[in-house]
Amino acid sequence: MLESVKTGPRPPDPKETTVPIQAEYIWIDGTQPTPLLRSKTKIIPDYAGALSDMPIDEWGFDGSSTEQATGESSDCILKPVFHCADPIRGGKNIIVMCEVLLASTGEPHPSNTRAAAAAAQAKYKDQEMWYGIEQEYTMLRLDGTPYGFPVGGYPKPQGPYYCGVGAGRVVGREIIEKHTQACIDAGLRISGTNAEVMPGQWEFQIGPADALTVSDHMYVARWLLHRVAEDYDVVISFDAKPEKGDWNGAGAHTNFSTRAMRESYDAVIAACEKLGTRVLEHVENYGHDIQSRLTGKHETAPWNKYSYGVSNRGASVRIPWQVARDKRGYAEDRRPNANCDPYTVTRLILETVCG
């Protein structure tokens, strides 16, 4: 008995107060046509310093289960790029946003769009581009029908739901409130929320921030939205046109401004003109099924025609009325889908406007 005590595990010291930390590693997988968010939990030792200084290690995962590798060479690397407080678990627990690297070379994986965005941001850093992304999404039941629709039927036509209040007009508010507070507690740059035009459709905004920050924060906010809704058996859809027919689609309108645009209206107009030089390249990379949403109806421009205008929500790019009044500010690219990749959208706008 004495021998087993000597050689067995050391009993816990009642004076020790350290508590292991759970780190939720999040990454974007290789699913096509729209990648999915994945995550797994790593247990790390307690840490007494500031959250921003916490050392976060790289980690591996099975890429053959996420459409990012084959079984005979399955290892991929998770490289942490941003971490924040975990508002779901609380305490010292954290969320870690990662980019994916190839285990064989350490280079960015083909599915890693953040690396290209980082290169563009570094190249045009003197332009000081800022973004604000308006993320629309739709709540669905587990059977795939919109959460705000009567079972087996349709609600009244669009009209009273946008920024609405009251039963029969708004559904899912409890999820919205919890998600918004979670983003605030995580320290994300969430700047607003509102009910959208279709029942069960909502929006939150992230920004203003640079390309990498707004995209990192957006992906963590998306993950938190999925996680909060999970407790209610509600599916979060970022599909471009979740309900066919006379209903608005779901977008990710992307507001942007360079330092020059924030100082000069001529620079705002010049940016809008430049976006018209690479129309198809943008549209083809602004999210799956974009043609079903950009029809020229429901506050959209046709996918294959480019336009811009003041206060015009039927244009590809809208110049807000106060920007025209103040003769400086920003513009809104209304084309990106809700299911777009923020790293790709911010990179394309940066390259086209500043290149």
Side-chain angles (χ1 to χ4, degrees):
M1 184 69 176
L2 181 62
E3 184 66 20
S4 65
V5 171
K6 286 182 179 179
T7 60
R10 180 177 66 86
D13 186 340
K15 297 179 181 180
E16 292 182 350
T17 57
T18 60
V19 178
I21 297 168
Q22 296 185 68
E24 194 70 18
Y25 277 58
I26 300 173
W27 74 98
I28 304 158
D29 77 359
T31 300
Q32 293 297 326
T34 302
L36 302 174
L37 282 170
R38 307 275 185 150
S39 71
K40 64 175 184 171
T41 309
K42 186 175 187 178
I43 310 301
I44 59 179
D46 197 354
Y47 176 71
L51 174 63
S52 59
D53 297 328
M54 181 181 289
I56 309 295
D57 296 330
E58 293 182 347
W59 202 13
F61 72 94
D62 173 17
S64 68
S65 297
T66 62
E67 306 297 332
Q68 289 168 298
T70 57
E72 62 272 13
S73 181
S74 63
D75 289 331
C76 293
I77 299 172
L78 295 175
K79 178 185 176 183
V81 294
F82 165 72
H83 68 276
C84 61
D86 184 343
I88 304 296
R89 293 183 172 124
K92 292 184 177 180
N93 301 304
I94 60 173
I95 292 174
V96 183
M97 186 66 208
C98 303
E99 62 179 351
V100 179
L101 306 179
L102 295 165
S104 57
T105 64
E107 295 297 314
H109 188 277
S111 64
N112 179 350
T113 55
R114 189 183 191 276
Q121 179 165 295
K123 182 176 181 179
Y124 300 110
K125 63 180 180 180
D126 61 321
Q127 304 282 336
E128 298 180 17
M129 178 77 86
W130 296 348
Y131 302 88
I133 301 179
E134 305 171 21
Q135 177 67 72
E136 296 177 343
Y137 59 92
T138 308
M139 297 183 185
L140 304 177
R141 301 186 184 92
L142 294 178
D143 64 3
T145 58
Y147 191 54
F149 282 35
V151 176
Y154 287 90
K156 294 179 180 178
Q158 295 181 162
Y161 311 113
Y162 173 71
C163 294
V165 63
R169 291 183 290 276
V170 172
V171 295
R173 192 180 292 278
E174 186 175 3
I175 294 174
I176 306 310
E177 296 292 340
K178 288 190 175 182
H179 173 251
T180 302
Q181 191 60 53
C183 289
I184 292 171
D185 293 344
L188 303 182
R189 293 193 178 182
I190 187 168
S191 50
T193 67
N194 61 269
E196 265 303 332
V197 177
M198 189 178 85
Q201 202 171 66
W202 289 81
E203 175 187 298
F204 66 89
Q205 301 100 38
I206 297 289
D210 60 65
L212 295 182
T213 301
V214 77
S215 301
D216 291 342
H217 286 215
M218 178 59 75
Y219 271 118
V220 174
R222 285 178 176 181
W223 185 90
L224 285 171
L225 181 57
H226 284 300
R227 177 61 188 83
V228 169
E230 182 182 305
D231 291 341
Y232 295 84
D233 283 338
V234 168
V235 176
I236 300 298
S237 169
F238 295 111
D239 288 349
K241 192 74 171 179
E243 184 67 24
K244 307 304 180 185
D246 194 21
W247 303 99
N248 274 33
H253 304 152
T254 302
N255 302 277
F256 64 94
S257 68
T258 60
R259 183 181 67 254
M261 292 170 65
R262 295 188 291 273
E263 297 172 352
S264 165
Y265 192 63
D266 288 342
V268 174
I269 297 299
C272 294
E273 290 284 345
K274 279 194 171 183
L275 284 176
T277 64
R278 299 168 67 181
V279 176
L280 289 183
E281 182 180 0
H282 281 248
V283 168
E284 290 169 356
N285 288 281
Y286 272 6
H288 174 62
D289 197 30
I290 199 166
Q291 294 181 16
S292 72
R293 176 177 151 264
L294 299 186
T295 61
K297 299 179 180 179
H298 304 110
E299 298 181 310
T300 69
W303 66 271
N304 57 351
K305 295 181 180 180
Y306 178 79
S307 60
Y308 68 89
V310 175
S311 291
N312 188 354
R313 282 180 163 78
S316 308
V317 175
R318 179 179 69 95
I319 300 173
W321 65 269
Q322 68 270 31
V323 174
R325 179 198 64 189
D326 297 341
K327 300 303 178 185
R328 60 188 176 88
Y330 67 99
E332 176 197 45
D333 191 337
R334 297 181 55 78
R335 296 170 295 172
N337 275 350
N339 59 12
C340 73
D341 170 33
Y343 296 125
T344 299
V345 171
T346 56
R347 173 183 62 80
L348 285 171
I349 292 175
L350 184 58
E351 290 174 346
T352 301
V353 171
C354 299

